[in-house]
Amino acid sequence: MNADLDKQLNVFETKINEDINIEPRDWMPDDYRKHLIRQISQHAHSEVIGMQPEGNWISRAPSLRSKKILLAKIQDEGGHGLYLYSAAETLGISRDEMLHQLHEGKAKYSSIFNYPTLTWADIGAIGWLVDGAAIVNQVSLQKTSYGPYARAMVRICKEESFHQRQGYEIMTKMMQGTKDQQAMAQDAMNRWWWPSLMMFGPHDSDSPNTGNAMKWKIKRQSNDILRQKFIDKTVQQAHLIGLSIPDNKLKWNEDKKSYDHGEINWDEFIRVINGDGPCNKQRMKHHIKAHQEGEWVRKAAIAYQLKRKELINQ
Amino acid sequence: MTEEIKDTQWPLWEVFIQSNPGLPYKHAGSVHGSDKEIAMQNARDTYTRRNEGTSIWIVPSNSIVASNPSDSDMFFEPSNDKIYRHPTFYVMPEGALNI
Ligand SMILES: [Fe+2]
Ligand SMILES: [Fe+2]
């Protein structure tokens, strides 16, 4: 029995080492499965909860063009949630269970979505910075070791670049506008910059989950490396349109050919993750309400399907 | 018949998409649907928002029969020792054209 397990573990580890994807019916260590279920379901929840801050502006988008774009963008995010839920389901957890864990507070979602969208410029900042940070992470995850997760990431990355570009376009237009519009854009930048950096998670030296995740190639690059990539890409884009980065320690470092940055406020990160951000309660309340209000629709559709079966069988 | 219906996320379906006529169908992922019409609608909305397909197949997930990965060595072995199934196995005379 034990020899069997050793053999299976060996097959699994060989695959990981040779960059061969693990597929749903393959044997995998329990902890690998658990880690994936946690990570993929939280990723899915983030996509879905992330629809709320942006949804706040659909009815107030400044033009029909921007409204259509925002609708399409938010619909994509719903789609991303669905791709990811379906990837998680291949690991043996049901959709019902995942939603239950979210509503119970057992599963988390990205803490960035607990911040409010106060002005139209926030929609620009989210697309450009939040989706921009998500892209850096997701591009890296296209090479994650679990097949269904990797395939969902490939699909998602194809759709994300429109999200980032529409956000940057909003910021660019505002920076070309009146003094008030410019101030609004800078204000959004100031509020979203640091939370965007926090999206990559704690420093490598303080992240307890990284060890196994890297060993099993679930995660391909460390939090700090990904964060640095995002900073290095984004600073030039900000400066080009006249936005400043709200970090007076930000400085080009010629030796490492990238930017040094100031200290991230990890107390805030931990507070928001643990439920004490500006919108945590509102986000969850809204999700639960929408879920409960949809219950009769789900039941009616099943009733309809049963009734029809009955008629056919008569 | 007035039995209480349980609230669920509906049964699972696998989605296969043909990106253009003439090409094989490729697995895209899965969706939930209470019946085939709703599952089809959800498959379209979820997997073809950008002209990814011209045709969709959906199949109830529990109808899929998959080979067992732990048997796969044995299962696919026989094709390895029949190299005469490959055109490169055969020696053609020097100078033969179009073959
Ligand atoms: Fe997304
Ligand atoms: Fe996005």
Side-chain angles (χ1 to χ4, degrees):
Chain A
M1 195 61 215
N2 246 340
D4 226 37
L5 201 68
D6 272 2
K7 195 183 149 229
Q8 285 173 318
L9 185 64
N10 201 349
V11 172
F12 172 82
E13 282 175 345
T14 309
K15 279 191 182 165
I16 297 281
N17 290 338
E18 291 173 4
D19 283 326
I20 297 170
N21 278 152
I22 306 300
E23 292 294 337
R25 289 170 54 91
D26 290 342
W27 184 91
M28 59 187 90
D30 275 351
D31 283 343
Y32 178 81
R33 187 185 298 277
K34 272 191 212 137
H35 190 109
L36 279 170
I37 288 178
R38 193 184 65 227
Q39 179 168 333
I40 302 174
S41 68
Q42 294 187 1
H43 196 159
H45 297 326
S46 303
E47 300 283 352
V48 172
I49 298 291
M51 296 164 82
Q52 290 186 43
E54 294 184 298
N56 184 33
W57 281 88
I58 292 174
S59 61
R60 288 174 287 156
S63 67
L64 185 57
R65 177 184 185 268
S66 53
K67 187 178 192 153
K68 284 199 296 192
I69 292 171
L70 186 57
L71 273 168
K73 199 259 186 197
I74 296 172
Q75 190 194 17
D76 273 355
E77 302 303 1
H80 296 175
L82 294 177
Y83 306 157
L84 287 161
Y85 283 130
S86 89
E89 281 166 273
T90 63
L91 291 157
I93 186 170
S94 72
R95 184 84 56 95
D96 295 280
E97 223 172 317
M98 285 187 271
L99 289 176
H100 193 71
Q101 288 178 351
L102 174 68
H103 293 165
E104 298 264 281
K106 281 188 200 134
K108 297 208 185 312
Y109 54 88
S110 180
S111 67
I112 190 95
F113 301 117
N114 291 316
Y115 292 87
T117 40
L118 304 178
T119 73
W120 175 248
D122 288 37
I123 299 304
I126 288 184
W128 173 42
L129 300 174
V130 177
D131 287 68
I135 289 171
V136 171
N137 186 35
Q138 287 167 343
V139 164
S140 165
L141 284 173
Q142 290 182 100
K143 293 212 166 64
T144 189
S145 58
Y146 187 57
Y149 193 24
R151 292 192 283 275
M153 283 301 119
V154 170
R155 192 176 282 280
I156 285 176
C157 285
K158 271 191 204 146
E159 303 184 354
E160 284 290 355
S161 67
F162 132 61
H163 298 180
Q164 195 187 17
R165 292 176 69 130
Q166 64 86 34
Y168 190 52
E169 190 195 72
I170 291 173
M171 294 305 255
T172 307
K173 277 190 186 162
M174 293 192 86
M175 290 308 287
Q176 291 164 347
T178 63
K179 279 259 163 326
D180 281 350
Q181 287 170 322
Q182 291 171 6
M184 213 180 252
Q186 183 63 56
D187 171 61
M189 174 86 198
N190 295 348
R191 284 181 289 108
W192 290 94
W193 175 254
W194 291 103
S196 300
L197 298 191
M198 293 175 198
M199 282 173 71
F200 296 96
H203 285 309
D204 297 349
S205 47
D206 315 311
S207 41
N209 281 325
T210 301
N212 271 339
M214 291 289 250
K215 186 182 85 186
W216 287 328
K217 296 185 179 168
I218 294 173
K219 204 171 159 58
R220 302 308 308 258
Q221 282 164 308
S222 75
N223 295 353
D224 284 332
I225 287 176
L226 293 169
R227 182 166 22 242
Q228 190 68 54
K229 269 193 188 172
F230 171 70
I231 295 172
D232 292 344
K233 270 211 267 214
T234 312
V235 172
Q236 185 270 342
Q237 294 164 6
H239 290 161
L240 182 73
I241 58 174
L243 283 168
S244 56
I245 308 276
D247 176 0
N248 53 23
K249 296 219 175 81
L250 188 88
K251 224 177 87 217
W252 178 252
N253 181 329
E254 187 55 35
D255 289 342
K256 61 170 197 179
K257 295 271 180 254
S258 71
Y259 284 94
D260 290 332
H261 62 87
E263 200 34 56
I264 294 167
N265 184 348
W266 294 114
D267 291 342
E268 174 182 329
F269 175 73
I270 289 163
R271 224 181 43 232
V272 177
I273 268 227
N274 288 333
D276 208 11
C279 302
N280 298 53
K281 292 205 180 68
Q282 180 188 336
R283 299 287 183 247
M284 203 41 59
K285 211 175 125 194
H286 184 81
H287 194 278
I288 291 171
K289 180 169 170 263
H291 181 72
Q292 286 171 347
E293 287 176 358
E295 185 180 340
W296 72 269
V297 180
R298 292 189 293 275
K299 283 185 170 176
I302 292 289
Y304 174 71
Q305 186 254 3
L306 290 174
K307 188 90 210 157
R308 241 186 359 177
K309 249 195 207 155
E310 211 178 281
L311 286 176
I312 291 167
N313 290 341
Q314 259 170 22
Chain B
M1 201 40 240
T2 42
E3 224 177 284
E4 180 68 23
I5 291 171
K6 237 183 99 211
D7 181 26
T8 69
Q9 290 287 308
W10 296 342
L12 196 62
W13 305 69
E14 298 304 317
V15 180
F16 299 83
I17 294 174
Q18 185 187 39
S19 57
N20 269 307
L23 293 178
Y25 286 71
K26 223 170 128 183
H27 184 243
S30 57
V31 290
H32 289 247
S34 54
D35 59 28
K36 57 188 181 191
E37 282 87 8
I38 289 180
M40 181 57 87
Q41 189 71 34
N42 287 347
R44 192 207 67 172
D45 292 347
T46 307
Y47 292 104
T48 62
R49 290 192 302 286
R50 288 177 176 77
N51 302 321
E52 289 92 336
T54 51
S55 176
I56 300 176
W57 287 348
I58 52 166
V59 184
S61 301
N62 58 17
S63 297
I64 301 238
V65 181
S67 61
N68 186 348
S70 58
D71 295 344
S72 71
D73 283 353
M74 226 163 49
F75 198 62
F76 296 108
E77 233 285 71
S79 58
N80 285 336
D81 61 7
K82 295 182 178 62
I83 47 172
Y84 46 84
R85 282 177 175 157
H86 297 281
T88 46
F89 177 76
Y90 300 92
V91 183
M92 295 294 106
E94 195 85 31
L97 300 175
N98 301 320
I99 181 157

